[in-house]
Amino acid sequence: MVDVDWGFDEEPDDFGVRGLQWVPVDSDHADDLEEVAAARRQGWFPLGEAPLWCFVPAVWPRAARAWIRDRRVRHASRQRTGKPVERLPWTAADYSETENDYNRFLDGLLVPPRPGGRIWVLRPPAGFNTLQDVLDDIWSGWEEASGGETTPGPELVEHAARRLRELL
């Protein structure tokens, strides 16, 4: 079993943008937060929302990871017969359901629940231009090591942690 670290004792990073801690941003996109844009300019990349990689911050070395308070007001669409599509803000239940889905997936990976309300930003190791390049490297190495296994499980978490220790 891999040691995972969600950094419960870590404070959010504002990447030099001050005074926005609790101001909501009406957007579904992390890049619309000024802190995320500032992090990108400093060589950090926000982790996407694909469930497959939701465990990665817990095995990414602390020196190359940070988090930003998720201030987004997210949205859902609703279509009713004879009416235009409506864009509605998520309810507390929507946020909770999304977080519960991630945590159910993490449970299957034998990773403890993650802290909610965070946008994780990760700095790729030398030799990688983007975070996606690192994730692609981890995936291809795992497929090769597992004989083509494509169902994520605890072995993927172990492989990712091992590969990140090698790279960082």
Side-chain angles (χ1 to χ4, degrees), residues 39-107:
R40 279 191 181 274
R41 288 190 298 273
Q42 296 173 37
W44 298 76
F45 292 85
L47 180 65
E49 296 179 343
L52 174 64
W53 298 114
C54 66
F55 71 90
V56 168
V59 297
W60 203 276
R62 279 187 176 219
R65 76 160 190 228
W67 66 275
I68 295 165
R69 184 173 282 110
D70 192 351
R71 304 181 290 114
R72 296 174 293 170
V73 175
R74 310 288 298 275
H75 300 87
S77 296
R78 178 172 72 177
Q79 174 72 53
R80 296 182 297 170
T81 306
K83 305 273 186 180
V85 174
E86 293 178 282
R87 185 171 179 254
L88 303 169
W90 277 12
T91 65
D94 292 323
Y95 286 100
S96 179
E97 180 181 342
T98 299
E99 207 55 45
N100 288 338
D101 288 345
Y102 282 117
N103 287 329
R104 270 191 297 279
F105 182 75
L106 289 168
D107 186 58

Side-chain angles (χ1 to χ4, degrees), residues 6-155:
W6 283 116
F8 286 103
D9 61 333
E10 294 176 40
E11 291 294 321
D13 196 322
D14 63 11
F15 291 92
V17 178
R18 302 277 185 227
L20 300 173
Q21 291 288 331
W22 297 103
V23 178
V25 173
D26 189 33
S27 177
D28 293 314
H29 306 289
D31 284 321
D32 289 340
L33 274 72
E34 292 179 49
E35 307 96 295
V36 173
R40 279 191 181 274
R41 288 190 298 273
Q42 296 173 37
W44 298 76
F45 292 85
L47 180 65
E49 296 179 343
L52 174 64
W53 298 114
C54 66
F55 71 90
V56 168
V59 297
W60 203 276
R62 279 187 176 219
R65 76 160 190 228
W67 66 275
I68 295 165
R69 184 173 282 110
D70 192 351
R71 304 181 290 114
R72 296 174 293 170
V73 175
R74 310 288 298 275
H75 300 87
S77 296
R78 178 172 72 177
Q79 174 72 53
R80 296 182 297 170
T81 306
K83 305 273 186 180
V85 174
E86 293 178 282
R87 185 171 179 254
L88 303 169
W90 277 12
T91 65
D94 292 323
Y95 286 100
S96 179
E97 180 181 342
T98 299
E99 207 55 45
N100 288 338
D101 288 345
Y102 282 117
N103 287 329
R104 270 191 297 279
F105 182 75
L106 289 168
D107 186 58
L109 300 176
L110 303 180
V111 174
R114 69 186 197 157
R118 294 182 178 194
I119 296 172
W120 290 96
V121 289
L122 308 170
R123 190 173 45 222
F128 291 86
N129 293 322
T130 68
L131 176 57
Q132 189 60 52
D133 292 342
V134 180
L135 299 177
D136 290 345
D137 176 85
I138 290 169
W139 182 259
S140 62
W142 181 67
E143 280 187 312
E144 185 178 314
S146 68
E149 178 61 47
T150 58
T151 304
E155 300 82 12

